C-alpha cells in the first residue's frame, strides 16, 4: 500500500510517500525506511493525488504524485515520478520533478492519470479573470509538456463563469479514441454543482458529450462537491461526493456515456 500526502520534516511541508507491507508494517525497502520526502523549491509542497504506471509499458513500475509547490510567492503544478524503490526517477525531467506555472499565480493540481501511451495527465485549477478555471495539462513520459495538446500542453475550461476545480481524471479506452473525462465542481450562479468535461485526445472539448463537452448537475442543495469518479465497463460514469441540503450528505450520480443523467439509477 502506497500513500501520498505531505509532512513537515523541517521548516516547510514536503511531498511524502509512505509504503506499507500487506500486514501494515512499514516497507523498509522503500527509500530505506518506508518513507520518501521530496522538496521542490525550498518552500511548501503538498501532494494530493497518486497513480501507478506498471511494466511492460516502461522498464519498471513507477509512481506518479501530483500536487502543488510554492515557488517564490506563487503555487505551481508539481509532479514527481518515483521508481519502485522510492527514489526519484531521474529520467523524468532530469531530476524526477516537474513544476508548471499556468497563470503566474496560484495553480493547484488535484488529479493525475496515465494514458496507455505513457503520457501523463494532470488536472486542477488556475486563476482566470478573477475566478478559477479547471486546468488540464499533459506531459510526455519524459516530463516535457506535450505541446500538441490544447494550447502548448495546457487546456483551461470555464463552466459557468465561477470557480471551477478538478477531482478526478478518467481515461477512456483506446476503442473510444482515448477520450479524457475530468470530474470536479463548478460554481453555477450562487451554488456549487457537480461538473464533468470530456476532451478529445488533442485537448479539444468533445461536443458529443453533454452541452459542448460539459455537464453541470445540481443535486438540490446549495453546495455539491465532487470527490471522486469512476467509469463502468459499459461506459457509464459514476461520480461521488457530497451535497449540503442543509446538512452534508453523501451524493452519488450516474451518467450515460453521452453525459446525460442515467435515469434508471434511483429513478432520476
Amino acid at each position: 500500500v502506497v500513500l501520498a500526502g505531505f509532512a513537515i520534516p523541517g521548516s516547510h511541508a514536503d511531498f511524502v510517500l509512505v509504503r506499507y507491507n500487506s500486514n501494515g508494517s512499514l516497507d523498509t525497502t522503500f527509500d530505506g525506511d518506508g518513507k520518501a520526502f521530496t522538496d521542490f523549491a525550498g518552500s511548501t509542497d503538498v501532494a494530493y493525488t497518486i497513480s501507478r504506471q506498471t511494466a511492460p509499458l516502461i522498464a519498471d513500475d513507477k509512481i506518479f504524485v501530483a500536487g502543488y509547490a510554492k515557488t517564490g510567492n506563487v503555487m505551481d503544478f508539481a509532479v514527481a515520478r518515483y521508481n519502485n524503490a522510492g527514489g526519484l526517477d531521474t529520467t523524468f525531467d532530469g531530476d524526477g520533478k516537474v513544476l508548471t506555472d499556468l497563470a503566474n499565480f496560484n495553480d493547484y493540481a488535484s488529479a493525475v492519470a496515465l494514458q496507455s501511451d505513457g503520457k501523463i495527465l494532470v488536472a486542477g485549477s488556475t486563476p482566470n479573470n478573477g475566478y478559477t478555471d479547471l486546468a488540464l495539462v499533459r506531459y510526455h513520459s519524459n516530463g516535457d509538456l506535450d505541446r500538441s495538446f490544447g494550447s502548448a500542453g495546457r487546456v483551461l475550461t470555464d463552466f459557468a463563469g465561477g470557480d471551477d476545480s478538478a477531482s478526478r481524471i478518467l481515461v477512456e479506452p483506446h476503442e473510444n479514441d482515448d477520450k479524457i473525462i475530468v470530474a470536479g465542481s463548478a460554481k453555477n450562479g450562487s451554488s456549487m454543482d457537480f461538473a464533468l468535461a470530456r476532451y478529445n485526445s488533442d485537448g479539444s472539448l468533445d461536443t458529443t458529450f453533454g452541452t459542448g463537452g460539459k455537464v453541470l448537475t445540481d443535486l438540490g442543495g446549495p453546495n455539491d462537491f465532487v470527490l471522486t469518479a469512476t467509469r463502468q465497463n459499459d461506459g457509464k460514469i459514476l461520480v461521488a461526493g457530497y451535497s449540503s441540503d442543509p446538512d452534508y450528505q453523501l451524493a452519488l450520480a450516474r451518467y450515460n456515456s453521452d453525459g446525460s443523467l442515467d435515469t434508471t439509477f434511483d429513478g432520476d
Side-chain angles (χ1 to χ4, degrees):
V1 179
V2 183
L3 302 183
F6 70 93
I8 306 174
S11 60
H12 59 268
D14 288 340
F15 275 26
V16 64
L17 272 71
V18 180
R19 190 164 74 187
Y20 301 88
N21 296 308
S22 57
N23 66 0
S25 61
L26 281 168
D27 176 8
T28 55
T29 68
F30 188 74
D31 206 44
D33 60 359
K35 299 170 280 188
F37 294 85
T38 301
D39 174 58
F40 279 82
S43 190
T44 302
D45 310 314
V46 176
Y48 273 108
T49 182
I50 186 171
S51 189
R52 295 287 301 274
Q53 188 173 39
T54 58
L57 185 62
I58 53 177
D60 55 26
D61 292 357
K62 306 289 186 185
I63 303 166
F64 287 85
V65 179
Y68 68 83
K70 191 170 185 180
T71 59
N73 294 319
V74 301
M75 305 295 187
D76 291 340
F77 271 26
V79 185
R81 186 165 77 187
Y82 302 83
N83 57 45
N84 201 41
L88 284 165
D89 175 12
T90 56
T91 67
F92 186 70
D93 204 49
D95 60 359
K97 302 176 286 185
V98 171
L99 288 169
T100 305
D101 179 14
L102 298 178
N104 198 30
F105 202 60
N106 290 332
D107 310 315
Y108 297 93
S110 47
V112 63
L114 307 173
Q115 296 187 172
S116 59
D117 59 3
K119 291 181 179 179
I120 306 118
L121 292 161
V122 178
S125 62
T126 188
N128 190 23
N129 294 323
Y131 297 96
T132 60
D133 284 350
L134 186 152
L136 181 62
V137 179
R138 190 164 73 187
Y139 304 88
H140 292 291
S141 60
N142 65 357
D144 291 343
L145 280 169
D146 177 6
R147 297 186 178 277
S148 70
F149 184 77
S151 176
R154 315 163 192 202
V155 174
L156 301 185
T157 303
D158 173 53
F159 281 86
D163 288 327
D164 308 316
S165 61
S167 299
R168 189 83 161 89
I169 304 170
L170 306 174
V171 181
E172 298 204 310
H174 188 63
E175 57 266 26
N176 200 30
D177 300 323
D178 297 318
K179 291 182 178 178
I180 302 154
I181 297 171
V182 180
S185 309
K187 189 76 176 284
N188 185 13
S190 60
S191 67
M192 296 295 295
D193 291 346
F194 276 22
L196 292 173
R198 188 164 72 186
Y199 304 87
N200 298 306
S201 59
D202 63 359
S204 61
L205 282 165
D206 174 12
T207 56
T208 68
F209 183 80
T211 302
K214 298 178 283 188
V215 172
L216 285 172
T217 305
D218 180 3
L219 299 179
N223 291 302
D224 307 320
F225 289 93
V226 169
L227 296 179
T228 190
T230 192
R231 185 180 182 275
Q232 297 183 172
N233 290 335
D234 60 4
K236 293 182 179 181
I237 305 152
L238 282 164
V239 179
Y242 62 91
S243 177
S244 59
D245 189 25
D247 297 325
Y248 289 113
Q249 301 177 70
L250 184 148
L252 183 63
R254 190 165 72 184
Y255 301 84
N256 296 307
S257 60
D258 63 358
S260 60
L261 282 165
D262 176 11
T263 56
T264 69
F265 189 69
D266 203 43
D268 61 355

